[in-house]
């Protein structure tokens, strides 16, 4: 029997469920798919109360918005009168498992939905939540510690100069030792990559001196990131950092050789296939002693659960990322929940004693001590990228704090690295896209990289050198959009920029592929070893027989150039414009963010913070109504409800 929602048929509207679903779809509170799911459940469980089926539709809609459950008890507090009306019918959720046992469960089982403490889950989200909570809790047991003086000696080598007190990079390293789990979070330029490199050197140094109880010889270390772009960037950063450390000659080469600079995507690490099955799981765990995952804010709840399921019990897991950035496109915000109390540094006496013994810092006692999980949480607090007078840095901090006061002064300050103008000023927008920041050659627009490319061709540069130079020049500027669709989204702006370059820079018309076309991989291409998010540059290549053909150059983790025929690249798109989500893990000398008032459903504080912190030295904001829309975004956080650790920590303290 094929089900369908017919809201125009008066005969069907006598049914309470259908009436509610039609109102929900009409108001945009439900998608047609969500309503269809409720009708399917009604067919499978005829005895289910109509309100429970409506709740199931709402739970499906919440999952599409990135939420992992529907909070049935708090819906009455909503401003929307329709949601408040519906909430009254959800008051008897306790009885749903008895009334429709094939549809609702209260724990382990095979039902598609789970109710727990007033929350309704799709079962897979409930299962993932339990997996994460239990997997992390199992790694919080205290380990036998290496001698504090040995740790302090190695830390003195790794941090020979103490310019800031307390040095949170050093503290972060020592906090990762007592347990098999840890989180290092920090904003832009706080040295997350430097810290994790020194942490790995500390661990390997201790292991090679047999100073880690139970560990014999070097540790097996693996590095991963949620996207190919983030993985490539971390690999490049680590490779450069290892070269700098080797040049200092402060550390033994044996320890440096044990640090990998190869970084893989989490999907490749787990061996995830298109059908959703993973090569590595609880029955076939990864061969690893230490796993570091960078850009952990982008980890969905499902992917985090997969990682913990595949990790051997004795392995350490270190998460690295910015807690204030956008969460995953998919459901969940694991890093944000882990870091809820990060600012307070709620360390217990024994944790502060360990910090004092290894770092020679006496941290003040907190007003309230935190959970076991908070003892292995480190927040890096000093930005080495933005000085005290940096407008970008100050704006990022205001956004993070939800403080929209004093915005005009930030933009009007002399020599400000910020500027804003109205989206309605189309001519100024075109000038920005072509020429960049007025009067500053270090903050160009898109004409710059094409000029560099053509100059390299005239000079007859070697193909690899031309590719490196072109990719570097292109990476100086990036336009970020709030969404993909529409004339002001990625698709529309990519078309606009191509037309501008055709008119002003001689880019050929009517060709999909042209010299200088920047492209991004949109899906992991394992056969080519190209990952989702990697950016390549289309360039003419002269072959030994005299043929001149277009090839696409991608930069490898060690700076090498990898060439591909355009015919082999199926899952790619032009990348003059990029969504903020896709930009995570990247930095640009000059960054521009474009947002329109009619995009309000996606314009949140975290989106603005992520866009702003992609810029290194110049930031251009092009928004409707100028500062009014910025003010609204800062005041509007994207709250993803999670309760992963609630039950486990209540049991521990109970």
């Amino acid at each position: 029997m094929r089900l369908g929602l017919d809201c125009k048929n008066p005969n069907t509207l006598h049914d309470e469920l259908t009436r509610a679903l039609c109102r929900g779809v009409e108001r945009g509170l439900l998608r047609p798919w969500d309503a269809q799911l409720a009708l399917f459940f009604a067919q499978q469980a005829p005895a289910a109360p109509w309100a429970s089926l409506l709740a199931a539709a709402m739970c499906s809609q919440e999952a599409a918005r990135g939420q992992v459950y529907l909070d049935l008890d708090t819906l009455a507090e909503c401003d929307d009168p329709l949601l408040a009306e519906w909430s009254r019918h959800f008051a008897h959720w306790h009885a749903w498992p008895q009334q429709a046992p094939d549809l609702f469960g209260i724990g382990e089982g095979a039902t598609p939905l789970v109710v727990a403490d007033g929350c309704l889950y799709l079962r897979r989200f409930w299962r993932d939540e339990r997996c994460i909570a239990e997997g992390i809790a199992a790694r919080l047991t205290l380990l036998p510690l290496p001698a504090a003086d040995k740790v302090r000696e190695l830390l003195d080598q790794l941090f020979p100069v103490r310019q800031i007190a307390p040095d949170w990079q050093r503290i972060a390293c020592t906090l990762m030792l007592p347990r098999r789990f840890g989180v290092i979070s920090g904003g832009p330029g706080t040295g997350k990559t430097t810290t994790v490199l020194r942490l790995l050197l500390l661990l390997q140094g201790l292991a090679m001196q047999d100073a880690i109880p139970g560990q014999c010889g070097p540790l097996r270390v693996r590095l991963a990131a949620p996207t190919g772009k983030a993985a490539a960037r971390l690999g490049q950063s680590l490779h450069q950092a290892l070269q700098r450390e080797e040049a200092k000659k402060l550390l033994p080469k044996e320890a440096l050789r044990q640090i990998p600079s190869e970084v893989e995507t989490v999907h490749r690490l787990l061996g995830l296939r298109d059908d959703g099955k993973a090569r590595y799981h609880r029955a076939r765990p990864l061969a690893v002693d230490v796993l570091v995952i960078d850009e952990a804010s982008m980890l969905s709840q499902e992917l985090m659960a997969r990682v913990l399921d595949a990790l051997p019990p004795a392995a350490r897991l270190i998460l690295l990322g910015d807690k204030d950035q956008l969460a995953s496109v998919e459901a969940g915000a694991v890093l944000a929940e882990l870091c809820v109390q990060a600012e307070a540094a709620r360390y217990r006496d024994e944790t502060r004693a360990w910090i004092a013994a290894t770092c020679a810092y006496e941290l003040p006692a907190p007003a309230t001590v935190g959970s076991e999980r908070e003892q292995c949480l480190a927040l890096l607090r000093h930005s080495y990228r933005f000085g005290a007078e940096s407008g970008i840095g100050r704006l990022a901090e205001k956004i993070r704090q939800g403080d929209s006061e004093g915005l005009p002064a930030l933009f009007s300050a002399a020599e400000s690295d910020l500027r804003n103008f109205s989206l309605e000023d189309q001519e100024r927008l075109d000038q920005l896209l072509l020429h960049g920041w007025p009067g500053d050659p270090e903050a160009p627009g898109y004409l710059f990289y094409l000029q560099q490319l053509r100059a390299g061709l005239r000079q007859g540069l070697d193909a690899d050198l031309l590719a490196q130079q072109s990719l570097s020049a292109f990476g100086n500027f990036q336009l970020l959009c709030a969404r993909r669709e529409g004339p002001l989204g990625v698709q529309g702006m990519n078309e606009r920029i191509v037309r501008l370059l055709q008119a002003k820079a001689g880019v050929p018309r009517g060709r999909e592929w042209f010299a200088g076309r920047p492209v991004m991989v949109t899906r992991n291409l394992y056969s080519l070893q190209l990952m989702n998010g990697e950016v390549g540059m289309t360039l003419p290549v002269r072959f030994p027989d005299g043929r001149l053909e277009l090839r696409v150059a991608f930069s490898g983790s060690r700076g090498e150039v990898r060439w591909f025929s355009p015919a082999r690249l199926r899952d790619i798109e032009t990348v003059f414009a990029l969504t903020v989500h896709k930009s995570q893990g990247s930095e640009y000398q000059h960054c521009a963010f474009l947002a329109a008032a009619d995009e309000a459903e996606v314009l949140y504080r975290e989106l603005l913070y992520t866009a702003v912190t992609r810029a290194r030295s110049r930031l251009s904001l092009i928004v409707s109504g100028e500062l009014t829309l910025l003010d609204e975004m800062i005041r509007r956080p994207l709250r993803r409800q999670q309760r992963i650790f609630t039950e486990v920590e209540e049991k521990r303290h109970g």
Side-chain angles (χ1 to χ4, degrees):
M1 174 181 174
R2 183 173 179 178
L3 299 173
L5 185 67
D6 186 359
C7 296
K8 295 182 180 179
N9 184 348
N11 294 324
T12 65
L13 295 180
H14 293 298
D15 174 70
E16 285 183 294
L17 175 62
T18 305
R19 285 202 304 271
L21 293 175
C22 286
R23 289 180 70 189
V25 172
E26 181 184 339
R27 286 279 313 280
L29 298 173
L30 297 173
R31 301 168 300 166
W33 163 256
D34 306 318
Q36 187 72 27
L37 182 66
L39 293 175
F40 172 76
F41 284 154
Q43 186 185 49
Q44 301 302 307
W50 73 268
S52 71
L53 299 170
L54 174 60
M58 292 182 64
C59 186
S60 172
Q61 164 68 359
E62 287 293 278
R65 295 175 54 239
Q67 305 288 0
V68 295
Y69 62 81
L70 172 67
D71 191 334
L72 299 165
D73 287 338
T74 62
L75 276 174
E77 303 168 10
C78 291
D79 295 332
D80 191 299
L82 182 56
L83 290 177
E85 176 189 331
W86 286 352
S87 71
R88 293 194 293 273
H89 300 288
F90 300 154
H92 303 293
W93 61 264
H94 308 80
W96 294 348
Q98 289 77 41
Q99 294 167 322
D102 293 337
L103 191 59
F104 296 95
I106 57 173
E108 296 295 342
T111 59
L113 297 159
V114 177
V115 287
D117 300 325
C119 298
L120 179 62
Y121 292 83
L122 298 175
R123 175 163 291 281
R124 64 189 178 95
F125 290 146
W126 179 86
R127 185 183 60 241
D128 290 342
E129 196 173 87
R130 294 302 89 213
C131 178
I132 294 170
E134 293 164 6
I136 290 178
R139 286 181 159 73
L140 295 180
T141 303
L142 281 169
L143 301 172
L145 286 168
D149 59 345
K150 181 63 68 176
V151 174
R152 187 169 60 249
E153 178 185 336
L154 280 170
L155 285 173
D156 286 342
Q157 293 180 44
L158 293 164
F159 297 91
V161 178
R162 300 188 186 185
Q163 297 177 333
I164 300 167
D167 187 339
W168 282 99
Q169 291 188 4
R170 181 171 174 140
I171 291 172
C173 289
T174 201
L175 283 174
M176 300 301 108
L177 297 180
R179 296 167 180 82
R180 292 190 177 92
F181 178 76
V183 179
I184 301 173
S185 181
T190 52
K192 295 185 291 293
T193 304
T194 300
T195 304
V196 81
L197 171 60
R198 291 178 179 175
L199 168 63
L200 294 176
L201 288 167
L202 172 65
L203 287 168
Q204 289 290 25
L206 290 168
M208 293 171 72
Q209 295 178 30
D210 296 326
I212 298 179
Q215 176 66 38
C216 298
L219 296 158
R220 297 169 298 173
V221 177
R222 295 183 75 172
L223 308 168
T227 68
K229 176 186 272 191
R233 184 171 177 274
L234 177 61
Q236 291 166 358
S237 298
L238 283 173
H239 178 65
Q240 295 166 2
L242 282 167
Q243 289 181 320
R244 289 195 298 270
E245 293 295 336
E246 189 171 0
K248 294 177 186 175
K249 298 181 180 179
L250 295 173
L251 300 165
K253 288 186 177 180
E254 294 76 15
L256 291 169
R257 291 194 189 104
Q258 297 299 327
I259 308 300
S261 60
E262 295 295 330
V263 185
E264 54 199 324
T265 64
V266 177
H267 286 77
R268 170 162 283 192
L269 171 82
L270 297 173
L272 276 170
R273 304 191 315 228
D274 290 339
D275 61 4
K277 294 182 179 179
R279 183 180 182 188
Y280 297 101
H281 42 74
R282 187 166 304 184
R284 187 183 184 182
L286 294 161
V288 64
D289 297 314
V290 180
L291 173 62
V292 176
I293 300 182
D294 191 22
E295 296 293 344
S297 63
M298 300 165 68
L299 274 179
S300 68
Q301 180 173 284
E302 180 184 10
L303 206 52
M304 182 67 177
R306 296 271 194 146
V307 167
L308 286 162
D309 188 58
L311 210 56
R316 295 175 188 263
L317 175 62
I318 308 296
L319 301 180
L320 195 66
D322 186 343
K323 66 182 180 64
D324 297 303
Q325 276 191 191
L326 275 170
S328 164
V329 176
E330 297 164 334
V334 180
L335 185 69
E337 185 176 0
L338 282 165
C339 296
V340 166
Q341 297 290 347
E343 306 277 353
R346 304 196 310 176
Y347 300 129
R348 298 172 180 170
D349 290 346
E350 57 269 28
T351 305
R352 291 185 294 108
W354 173 247
I355 293 171
T358 55
C359 299
Y361 295 125
E362 296 280 352
L363 291 180
T368 306
V369 296
S371 64
E372 197 77 27
R373 173 173 46 86
E374 292 177 59
Q375 308 312 301
C376 48
L377 170 60
L379 179 65
L380 306 181
R381 299 155 191 263
H382 177 76
S383 177
Y384 296 87
R385 183 191 305 174
F386 301 126
E389 298 305 314
S390 166
I392 298 173
R394 292 163 64 196
L395 176 59
E397 183 61 16
K398 276 185 167 293
I399 297 168
R400 198 179 69 80
Q401 298 286 353
D403 174 17
S404 61
E405 297 296 324
L407 287 181
L410 281 181
F411 287 90
S412 62
E415 304 299 322
S416 176
D417 51 6
L418 298 168
R419 68 170 181 160
N420 71 298
F421 56 87
S422 173
L423 185 56
E424 287 68 35
D425 192 342
Q426 295 290 300
E427 182 178 348
R428 197 174 177 192
L429 173 58
D430 286 346
Q431 290 299 309
L432 164 74
L433 296 172
L434 288 171
H435 304 292
W437 191 282
D440 185 354
E442 299 298 318
Y446 284 128
L447 275 180
F448 172 73
Y449 92 93
L450 279 176
Q451 293 166 348
Q452 293 290 100
L453 187 160
R454 290 166 179 172
L457 288 172
R458 288 194 300 271
Q459 295 166 17
L461 290 182
D462 169 78
D464 281 5
L465 183 58
L466 176 65
Q468 291 167 343
Q469 178 178 288
S470 299
L471 283 166
S472 175
F474 179 75
N476 280 328
F477 175 62
Q478 184 65 61
L479 173 67
L480 302 180
C481 300
R483 65 194 315 165
R484 286 189 52 79
E485 300 80 14
L488 298 177
V490 166
Q491 294 172 345
M493 291 308 298
N494 271 325
E495 293 170 1
R496 177 176 182 154
I497 294 166
V498 169
R499 289 195 300 269
L500 276 173
L501 295 178
Q502 288 170 344
K504 303 295 184 180
V507 166
R509 300 176 187 272
R511 295 185 191 174
E512 179 186 12
W513 291 96
F514 54 87
R517 181 192 178 191
V519 296
M520 172 178 278
V521 178
T522 58
R523 191 177 71 174
N524 294 335
L525 303 175
Y526 293 112
S527 62
L528 302 180
Q529 294 188 323
L530 287 174
M531 298 296 111
N532 181 9
E534 291 195 60
V535 173
M537 181 62 64
T538 310
L539 297 167
V541 176
R542 180 78 64 181
F543 288 84
D545 61 3
R547 288 180 298 118
L548 190 66
E549 294 186 5
L550 291 177
R551 291 292 185 267
V552 185
F554 290 85
S555 181
S557 63
R558 296 180 179 272
E560 76 279 10
V561 178
R562 305 174 62 222
W563 294 93
F564 298 90
S565 166
R568 300 183 68 192
L569 301 175
R570 300 294 183 188
D571 296 288
I572 53 91
E573 62 184 23
T574 301
V575 71
F576 288 114
L578 194 62
T579 62
V580 177
H581 272 98
K582 284 282 189 180
S583 74
Q584 286 181 269
S586 299
E587 298 173 2
Y588 310 98
Q589 197 73 6
H590 177 201
C591 186
F593 174 56
L594 185 154
D598 61 3
E599 299 171 327
E601 73 275 11
V602 298
L603 299 180
Y604 291 96
R605 178 188 301 169
E606 291 81 358
L607 184 90
L608 180 60
Y609 173 84
T610 304
V612 166
T613 54
R614 298 312 91 203
R616 290 188 63 87
S617 65
R618 298 288 192 186
L619 175 67
S620 297
L621 297 171
I622 316 105
V623 295
S624 297
E626 301 189 14
L627 296 182
T628 301
L629 185 57
L630 288 183
D631 180 87
E632 292 173 0
M633 291 180 72
I634 291 172
R635 295 173 184 270
R636 190 183 183 209
L638 174 61
R639 302 198 184 280
R640 285 196 175 178
Q641 303 175 117
Q642 287 200 230
R643 54 200 298 276
I644 292 176
F645 307 105
T646 304
E647 183 179 332
V648 169
E649 291 179 356
E650 284 176 353
K651 285 181 179 178
R652 280 174 170 256
H653 286 91

